[in-house]
Amino acid sequence: MRPLIAIDWGTSSLRGARIGTGGQVLESCEFARGILTVPPGQFETVFNEHFSDWMQAPDALCLISGMAGSRQGWQEAPYCPCPAGFTELGQHLRWLKQNRIALVPGLSCMGEDALNTPDVMRGEEVQIFGALQLAGRDSATLVLPGTHSKWVQVQSGRVTHFQTCMTGEVYGLLSQHSILGKTLDLTGAFEEVAFLQGVDHSQQAGSLLKHLFAVRTLGLFDRVPAKALPSFLSGLLIGEELRHPTGSKLQGPVIVIGSDTLTLRYTLALQHLGMACQSRGAEATWAGLFALACAS
Amino acid sequence: MRPLIAIDWGTSSLRGARIGTGGQVLESCEFARGILTVPPGQFETVFNEHFSDWMQAPDALCLISGMAGSRQGWQEAPYCPCPAGFTELGQHLRWLKQNRIALVPGLSCMGEDALNTPDVMRGEEVQIFGALQLAGRDSATLVLPGTHSKWVQVQSGRVTHFQTCMTGEVYGLLSQHSILGKTLDLTGAFEEVAFLQGVDHSQQAGSLLKHLFAVRTLGLFDRVPAKALPSFLSGLLIGEELRHPTGSKLQGPVIVIGSDTLTLRYTLALQHLGMACQSRGAEATWAGLFALACAS
């Protein structure tokens, strides 16, 4: 096994870790150099700026996941169609420097609806495989909350299906740009009671488009304090996402992968609705890239 | 019966009509003087500016519906709780000049959920009663599409329940401020095929938060042209609203009240989903205020 330079190069940040031959994280770093900040043709320069020291090791292998492999990134590593596991990811690596630096492809899957609506992910696939390694499982339902949450089914080590929910983005739009923003006070701390009231409210009959209006009227009628309304809205949207968690049924405890803030909320909501879960943070990315390096 | 000056004074516009003793509209006008443009204390001045001529008739009665009766308006005409019909509206008129000028109250209703979530309307109640008069019905399910759509149940001439869906506002947010805005081209004309594809897509299993992402991927994979995506998104949201149209079942053909643009879309979607409907425009407001004048 060679020393691994693991990189997660996303839309808004660039993270790296130097991984020992046994998989341990020796050193890690993060820069505000997401792909949106990199002019076309400058990816190699930015990479060298931050990682040339680590790349000195003559036998170092570097794997880069995330949006750096998109059409707007360093080079395009075309989506790998589902079902896909480590083997398929390894086969579709896009080598930038032979046997030294490779981009990890994202995954695509086709919906079973009338339009065969496609879905895509890029960066999450590595976290998924990493979390499964850490959990010692090869089949699971996973959720990766965020701007665009991903719900993922893995069977026998391969992603069979996934779908994207725009939960985080819709929360941002509603709290910042909608009429709901007029009554809610975003300076308030997270309030668990209001959050779970939102989760409960979302489980009722009727559409999210209706449930959302409660944020306004409960505020207007002084039934929920302005500082608790952001937590209520968050519960409403996460609860809506959990109302229809995935195309097929949950496989064992749901694995939640993300930042502490988000995994806390999803854990609270899942448990409140009677669904078992366990959570993972940034370590999933490094474990995933390490496992991929071992397999490829 | 006295001559009626019917006024609909909303958030963004001020509309008026001079109504004959038989209910016919003799003259109508519209000004960009919604309540948001009127400084506190200036409502009477603005009213006189536009309607003093019509008010010359010694026996003229003026009824004003809409946001002019809200806390931010001329004076507050407190919400009239449901169930409510003409009688209750008439009893709760807020007289500004005894027997000459009155504000029509809005309606409120309390949800049957755990939080007894309140809902409110102001201005729509007059359109509802007007449309029922024009249709010769005293029980119906109605929808008033818009920024905040209202779904209304009327039984024996009284509004028994209603609920608000934030459909129009969510459409605006998503098309203007979200990542979906990057792939859709708002300059395109309305496209019925794409609209109905959106309606169909919304009827599938799963959450709106998931269905929305199709707008992005169908665009990215060149499956729906950028100019047709706004119609697809519109169908998706209106379809979601129609998935759960109202707390109880539909009573006869749904009455759709609104602008031509919106009633066309709702009519298409309702018929596509096998629900009969009929539509009404601005005439509903004048008919409603006339009927209220007759009853009070």
Side-chain angles (χ1 to χ4, degrees):
Chain A
M1 185 62 208
R2 301 153 60 185
L4 173 68
I5 315 301
I7 311 273
D8 173 27
W9 203 340
T11 306
S12 52
S13 79
L14 168 60
R15 298 187 305 135
R18 198 160 64 82
I19 313 280
T21 52
Q24 70 280 27
V25 176
L26 302 174
E27 217 178 331
S28 71
C29 55
E30 179 163 2
F31 310 97
R33 294 306 309 264
I35 69 154
L36 293 180
T37 73
V38 182
Q42 296 299 304
F43 282 88
E44 188 167 355
T45 311
V46 174
F47 175 81
N48 288 334
E49 217 170 278
H50 294 101
F51 300 109
S52 55
D53 281 0
W54 291 358
M55 292 299 287
Q56 296 294 325
D59 58 343
L61 166 68
C62 175
L63 293 181
I64 305 173
S65 64
M67 293 299 283
S70 71
R71 215 172 293 174
Q72 293 79 41
W74 191 336
Q75 271 190 37
E76 188 178 3
Y79 293 111
C80 182
C82 284
F86 273 133
T87 314
E88 289 78 8
L89 279 187
Q91 286 165 350
H92 288 78
L93 289 178
R94 175 150 195 127
W95 290 97
L96 297 171
K97 293 196 191 298
Q98 192 56 46
N99 206 23
R100 285 278 285 167
I101 307 178
L103 295 165
V104 179
L107 299 183
S108 64
C109 79
M110 295 296 149
E112 285 161 8
D113 57 298
L115 298 169
N116 290 128
T117 309
D119 208 330
V120 291
M121 65 166 66
R122 206 178 264 289
E124 290 93 346
E125 67 294 329
V126 161
Q127 297 175 279
I128 292 162
F129 293 120
L132 287 170
Q133 289 269 338
L134 294 170
R137 293 169 64 183
D138 75 345
S139 294
T141 302
L142 304 96
V143 57
L144 296 91
T147 307
H148 296 163
S149 291
K150 306 287 181 189
W151 279 87
V152 185
Q153 293 286 6
V154 178
Q155 272 160 19
S156 309
R158 299 172 91 206
V159 174
T160 51
H161 185 74
F162 65 89
Q163 60 188 42
T164 302
C165 289
M166 293 183 62
T167 314
E169 183 165 6
V170 169
Y171 176 81
L173 290 172
L174 289 168
S175 57
Q176 288 162 42
H177 296 291
S178 84
I179 196 170
L180 304 185
K182 294 196 191 300
T183 36
L184 56 79
D185 178 350
L186 286 167
T187 67
F190 176 67
E191 295 205 16
E192 187 174 325
V193 171
F195 175 79
L196 293 177
Q197 280 180 325
V199 172
D200 283 332
H201 196 72
S202 72
Q203 304 302 303
Q204 299 178 98
S207 167
L208 173 64
L209 295 170
K210 169 197 159 197
H211 296 152
L212 287 174
F213 201 61
V215 179
R216 177 153 179 80
T217 56
L218 290 170
L220 284 179
F221 283 65
D222 295 323
R223 300 269 277 279
V224 176
K227 289 203 173 198
L229 283 174
S231 299
F232 181 84
L233 175 60
S234 174
L236 199 54
L237 289 167
I238 292 173
E240 164 74 14
E241 186 183 322
L242 297 182
R243 227 172 144 189
H244 316 275
T246 169
S248 49
K249 63 180 185 175
L250 303 183
Q251 306 178 81
V254 176
I255 300 177
V256 185
I257 311 173
S259 67
D260 289 349
T261 310
L262 284 177
T263 55
L264 167 69
R265 293 185 186 201
Y266 276 71
T267 299
L268 280 172
L270 282 160
Q271 289 175 345
H272 187 69
L273 297 174
M275 290 179 257
C277 61
Q278 46 197 222
S279 66
R280 296 285 168 185
E283 72 277 12
T285 306
W286 310 138
L289 286 169
F290 180 73
L292 187 58
C294 295
S296 56
Chain B
M1 184 61 208
R2 301 152 60 183
L4 173 68
I5 315 302
I7 312 273
D8 172 26
W9 203 340
T11 305
S12 52
S13 80
L14 168 59
R15 298 186 308 135
R18 200 160 62 81
I19 313 281
T21 52
Q24 71 280 29
V25 176
L26 304 173
E27 217 177 330
S28 70
C29 55
E30 179 164 1
F31 309 97
R33 293 305 309 264
I35 69 154
L36 292 180
T37 73
V38 182
Q42 296 299 304
F43 282 87
E44 187 166 357
T45 310
V46 174
F47 176 81
N48 287 333
E49 217 169 276
H50 295 101
F51 300 109
S52 57
D53 281 2
W54 289 359
M55 291 300 288
Q56 296 294 325
D59 59 344
L61 167 67
C62 175
L63 293 181
I64 304 173
S65 63
M67 293 299 282
S70 72
R71 216 172 293 175
Q72 293 78 40
W74 192 336
Q75 273 190 35
E76 188 177 3
Y79 292 111
C80 182
C82 285
F86 274 132
T87 313
E88 289 77 10
L89 279 187
Q91 286 165 351
H92 288 78
L93 290 178
R94 174 147 195 132
W95 290 96
L96 296 171
K97 292 193 191 301
Q98 193 55 46
N99 207 24
R100 286 277 286 167
I101 308 179
L103 294 166
V104 180
L107 299 183
S108 64
C109 79
M110 296 295 148
E112 286 160 8
D113 56 298
L115 298 169
N116 290 127
T117 310
D119 209 329
V120 292
M121 64 166 66
R122 207 177 265 287
E124 290 94 346
E125 67 295 329
V126 160
Q127 297 175 278
I128 292 163
F129 293 120
L132 288 169
Q133 289 270 338
L134 294 169
R137 293 168 64 182
D138 75 346
S139 293
T141 301
L142 304 96
V143 57
L144 296 91
T147 306
H148 297 163
S149 291
K150 307 287 181 188
W151 280 87
V152 185
Q153 293 286 8
V154 178
Q155 272 160 18
S156 309
R158 300 171 90 205
V159 174
T160 52
H161 186 73
F162 65 89
Q163 61 188 42
T164 301
C165 289
M166 293 184 62
T167 314
E169 183 165 6
V170 170
Y171 176 81
L173 291 173
L174 290 168
S175 57
Q176 288 162 42
H177 297 289
S178 83
I179 196 170
L180 305 185
K182 295 198 191 296
T183 36
L184 56 77
D185 178 349
L186 286 167
T187 66
F190 176 68
E191 295 204 19
E192 188 174 323
V193 172
F195 175 79
L196 293 178
Q197 280 180 325
V199 172
D200 283 332
H201 196 71
S202 72
Q203 304 301 302
Q204 299 177 98
S207 165
L208 173 64
L209 295 171
K210 169 197 159 196
H211 297 152
L212 287 173
F213 201 62
V215 178
R216 177 151 180 84
T217 55
L218 290 170
L220 283 180
F221 284 64
D222 294 324
R223 300 270 277 280
V224 176
K227 287 202 175 199
L229 283 175
S231 299
F232 181 84
L233 175 60
S234 174
L236 199 53
L237 289 167
I238 292 173
E240 164 74 15
E241 186 182 321
L242 297 182
R243 227 173 145 188
H244 317 272
T246 169
S248 47
K249 63 180 187 178
L250 303 182
Q251 307 177 79
V254 176
I255 300 177
V256 186
I257 312 173
S259 68
D260 289 349
T261 310
L262 284 177
T263 55
L264 167 69
R265 294 185 184 200
Y266 276 72
T267 299
L268 280 171
L270 282 160
Q271 289 175 345
H272 186 69
L273 297 174
M275 292 179 255
C277 61
Q278 45 196 225
S279 68
R280 297 284 169 186
E283 71 278 12
T285 306
W286 311 138
L289 287 168
F290 179 72
L292 187 58
C294 294
S296 57

